[in-house]
Amino acid sequence: MRKKRTGKGNIVPVRQKKKKPASGKLKVLFALCVVLLIMMTGVIVGQCQIENIIVNGNETYTKDEVEASVRANCVDNTVFYTVMAAFGKNDYLPFVEELDITFLGRNTILVEVKEKMRAGMIQEMSEFCYFDKDGTMLETSNVRIKDVPLVTGLQMNECILNEKIEPKEEDVFP
């Protein structure tokens, strides 16, 4: 026992608090939570495989192309894919601005496609180079799409896919 001196020379014993070891109940509760978490993860992995993909809002791409893009993400679980899609970005389809993924059931997800608009195209030889409103080259194709305006008289330094077009004139794209 430690002793403490008071101002008048008196010695008063001071009791120290003893540290209690973790109780058995707390250890059992922690172990139970860990086992429960492992079991829940096992059920989610085993029972929530992606079987049905419902696609809405797509015009440029077919349902099969969007579905292939979703499956190419290498996560074949509805719960994990929904969580990952909330934090990830679509890098697979060039004319898709955003994919909104909604969990509908243990084996079904809903994919809402928000597409980028083609602002124009430039013809280089026999290919058409499509770009968006920011001047980013999105696609080159042999097929001309009727609704997209053809830009003529624009001379470029270089034109690289998924990068901003660099015209020789300044201030063409904002």
Side-chain angles (χ1 to χ4, degrees):
M1 197 179 309
R2 238 177 61 184
K3 296 181 181 180
K4 179 180 170 187
R5 288 191 179 258
T6 62
K8 298 181 182 177
N10 296 333
I11 299 175
V12 179
V14 177
R15 292 187 183 175
Q16 291 182 346
K17 293 182 179 179
K18 293 183 181 180
K19 293 183 181 177
K20 295 181 182 179
S23 68
K25 290 180 182 180
L26 188 61
K27 288 180 184 178
V28 169
L29 182 64
F30 180 74
L32 187 62
C33 288
V34 170
V35 169
L36 187 62
L37 184 66
I38 292 171
M39 287 175 52
M40 285 176 40
T41 304
V43 168
I44 289 172
V45 169
Q47 297 295 319
C48 296
Q49 302 302 314
I50 295 176
E51 292 177 7
N52 302 319
I53 299 175
I54 300 169
V55 179
N56 287 335
N58 56 322
E59 292 178 17
T60 303
Y61 300 103
T62 64
K63 177 186 181 290
D64 294 334
E65 288 173 322
V66 174
E67 190 173 319
S69 172
V70 168
R71 290 190 187 277
N73 201 338
C74 299
V75 178
D76 195 31
N77 187 287
T78 56
V79 176
F80 294 144
Y81 189 83
T82 305
V83 171
M84 286 181 59
F87 299 108
K89 185 179 178 188
N90 170 52
D91 294 329
Y92 306 107
L93 302 171
F95 287 108
V96 172
E97 186 171 331
E98 186 179 358
L99 292 176
D100 288 334
I101 310 297
T102 307
F103 176 79
L104 293 181
R106 70 180 187 132
N107 300 108
T108 306
I109 58 173
L110 171 67
V111 179
E112 293 283 340
V113 180
K114 293 182 183 173
E115 295 183 347
K116 290 181 183 176
M117 297 302 295
R118 293 177 181 95
M121 68 178 157
I122 302 168
Q123 186 173 5
E124 288 290 323
M125 305 264 198
S126 63
E127 287 196 340
F128 297 98
C129 303
Y130 295 96
F131 56 90
D132 64 3
K133 67 179 188 294
D134 300 321
T136 302
M137 172 78 82
L138 297 175
E139 180 183 43
T140 59
S141 174
N142 294 335
V143 179
R144 179 167 188 217
I145 300 172
K146 292 180 183 178
D147 297 339
V148 180
L150 177 64
V151 177
T152 58
L154 181 65
Q155 295 179 352
M156 299 172 292
N157 292 331
E158 62 181 340
C159 199
I160 301 171
L161 197 62
N162 294 325
E163 290 189 16
K164 193 167 183 168
I165 297 172
E166 294 184 23
K168 289 185 179 176
E169 302 117 23
E170 293 183 19
D171 298 330
V172 174
F173 296 111

